[in-house]
């Protein structure tokens, strides 16, 4: 008779059949697009502010475009994956 008579259940050794879904970390799939979009908004806002802003509405729209562009670019650059050294 063998010394180890205690047997473990087979379910302990079997791998889980549940497929783990990818974690949603709140990061965008391609943040470079959003950075470029933000820079586009800044460029459009600067253009409108420098050359086309003859009224209060156009000045406000230009400032709004610049603010939206800066915020979009900053958030996209923060959400970009960091490169690991080594």
């Amino acid at each position: 008779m063998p010394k180890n008579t205690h047997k473990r259940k087979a379910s302990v050794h079997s791998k889980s059949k549940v497929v783990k879904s990818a974690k949603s970390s709140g990061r965008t799939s391609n943040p470079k697009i959003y950075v470029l979009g933000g820079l586009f908004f800044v460029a459009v806002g600067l253009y409108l502010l420098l050359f086309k802003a003859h009224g209060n509405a156009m000045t406000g729209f230009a400032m709004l475009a610049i603010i939206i562009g800066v915020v979009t670019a900053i958030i996209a650059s923060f959400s970009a994956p960091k490169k690991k050294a080594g």
Side-chain angles (χ1 to χ4, degrees):
M1 185 175 225
K3 292 181 180 179
N4 287 337
T5 57
H6 179 70
K7 293 185 179 180
R8 295 183 182 170
K9 290 184 179 179
S11 63
V12 173
H13 295 292
S14 67
K15 293 183 180 178
S16 176
K17 293 181 182 179
V18 177
V19 177
K20 293 182 180 179
S21 61
K23 280 187 173 182
S24 175
S25 63
R27 295 177 185 228
T28 60
S29 60
N30 196 354
K32 289 182 184 179
I33 294 173
Y34 290 98
V35 170
L36 291 176
L39 293 177
F40 174 75
F41 273 118
V42 170
V44 167
L46 286 175
Y47 172 76
L48 291 175
L49 194 61
L50 293 175
F51 299 114
K52 302 289 184 179
H54 299 294
N56 289 336
M58 191 60 74
T59 304
F61 182 72
M63 294 300 287
L64 190 64
I66 291 171
I67 291 170
I68 289 173
V70 168
V71 169
T72 303
I74 289 173
I75 290 174
S77 66
F78 282 152
S79 68
K82 306 293 186 256
K83 292 186 178 182
K84 294 181 180 178

